[in-house]
């Protein structure tokens, strides 16, 4: 059985649009967990465009598995060690990107990553690196000492959505997953996933966790709207 992590960043995006506390992210974390999600993911970005420091503090105090996505720097390391989430996934971060565009450059950040991962491992926080699926990245991940890797599934998700040929990308993900597994690294997958791509990737038995955000929030709005409209119609008629 694979696990499902639910990213609730976009609930915070919606909340921040009005500067008040609706929708409430703590409530959404509970709804997701009570509906069967295994963990909640939040990305504390440098520009705090969605999740804020206080959100993280409150989420870490809840009795839920919390996965913090963060950039690879000392400021974020300090925040992680202060709040002690259950899991940390190191992601690349560019200020102007709309979402995380690709995996982290392990070669360029090798020394820093090794230090940060080692500090997190010592603090008993489960560590992960968000990477593009390649042999070199798995070998570097092993040397860095991470317990898990999350394979970036953005490319295959786009191909599937377009109805284009995705077999080469699927092969890359399969090979990287197998190699990671053989090296004792737990394999996760995430980014751009919808029902269709998740069903395709689910067949790779090495993948133990799927982390999904945007699609879940979008679909939830769609399926939740009819009942809310009906309630309002009763009030206004
Ligand atoms: N996993 C990681 C590491 C991410 O950075 C993101 C996006 O924040 C996701 C999963 C979720 O991607 P999506 O919102 O496209 O489902």
């Amino acid at each position: 059985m694979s696990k499902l992590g639910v990213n609730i960043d976009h609930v915070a995006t919606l909340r921040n649009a009005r500067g008040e506390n609706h929708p409430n992210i703590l409530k959404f974390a509970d709804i997701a967990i009570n509906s069967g999600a295994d963990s909640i993911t939040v990305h504390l970005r440098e520009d705090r465009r969605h999740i804020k420091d206080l959100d993280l503090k409150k989420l870490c105090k809840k009795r839920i598995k919390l996965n913090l996505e963060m950039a690879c720097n000392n400021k974020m390391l300090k925040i992680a060690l202060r709040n002690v989430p259950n899991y940390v996934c190191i992601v690349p971060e560019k200020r102007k990107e709309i979402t995380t565009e690709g995996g982290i450059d392990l070669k360029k950040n090798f020394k820093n990553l090794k230090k940060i991962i080692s500090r997190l491992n010592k603090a008993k926080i489960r560590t992960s690196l968000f990477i593009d699926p390649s042999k070199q990245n798995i070998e570097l991940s092993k040397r860095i000492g991470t317990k898990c890797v999350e394979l970036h599934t953005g490319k295959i998700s786009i191909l599937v959505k377009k109805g284009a040929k995705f077999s080469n990308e699927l092969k890359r993900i399969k090979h990287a997953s197998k190699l990671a597994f053989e090296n004792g690294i737990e394999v996760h997958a995430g980014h751009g996933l919808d029902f269709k791509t998740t069903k395709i990737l689910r067949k790779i038995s090495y993948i133990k966790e799927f982390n999904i955000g945007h699609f879940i929030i979008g679909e939830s709005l769609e399926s939740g709207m009819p009942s809310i409209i009906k309630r309002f119609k009763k009030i206004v008629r």
Side-chain angles (χ1 to χ4, degrees), residues 7 9 69 91 99-100 130 150 190-192 211-214:
N7 181 315
D9 289 344
E69 288 178 5
V91 299
T99 180
T100 317
F130 191 39
E150 182 167 329
H191 209 277
N211 286 309
I212 308 176
H214 190 266

Side-chain angles (χ1 to χ4, degrees), residues 7 9-10 41 43 45 50 67 69 89-92 99-100 130 150-153 161 189-194 210-216:
N7 181 315
D9 289 344
H10 293 299
T41 295
H43 182 176
R45 279 184 170 269
H50 34 61
N67 175 33
E69 288 178 5
C89 180
I90 309 279
V91 299
T99 180
T100 317
F130 191 39
E150 182 167 329
L151 303 180
H152 195 298
T153 53
K161 273 172 214 155
H191 209 277
L193 294 175
D194 58 7
F210 290 90
N211 286 309
I212 308 176
H214 190 266
F215 185 78
I216 289 181

Side-chain angles (χ1 to χ4, degrees), residues 122-141:
K122 272 189 198 131
K124 306 248 181 309
I125 295 171
R126 188 193 76 175
T127 48
S128 184
L129 296 171
F130 191 39
I131 57 169
D132 290 322
S134 74
K135 184 170 182 266
Q136 190 195 40
N137 275 341
I138 301 300
E139 285 164 358
L140 285 166
S141 297

Side-chain angles (χ1 to χ4, degrees), residues 132-219:
D132 290 322
S134 74
K135 184 170 182 266
Q136 190 195 40
N137 275 341
I138 301 300
E139 285 164 358
L140 285 166
S141 297
K142 175 81 180 165
R143 283 172 54 205
I144 286 167
T146 185
K147 302 291 178 202
C148 316
V149 289
E150 182 167 329
L151 303 180
H152 195 298
T153 53
K155 214 172 190 173
I156 192 167
S157 295
I158 289 172
L159 294 172
V160 171
K161 273 172 214 155
K162 276 191 196 159
K165 180 173 167 261
F166 59 83
S167 53
N168 287 343
E169 186 58 19
L170 183 60
K171 246 186 235 160
R172 281 203 331 139
I173 296 173
K174 265 186 196 163
H175 289 156
S177 303
K178 185 168 183 281
L179 188 61
F181 173 80
E182 286 165 356
N183 277 280
I185 301 172
E186 188 174 299
V187 185
H188 308 157
H191 209 277
L193 294 175
D194 58 7
F195 293 131
K196 206 168 170 186
T197 313
T198 307
K199 273 184 199 161
I200 293 166
L201 293 173
R202 177 66 194 92
K203 292 185 188 132
I204 305 174
S205 59
Y206 303 111
I207 302 178
K208 296 297 174 204
E209 185 176 299
F210 290 90
N211 286 309
I212 308 176
H214 190 266
F215 185 78
I216 289 181
I217 305 302
E219 285 293 298

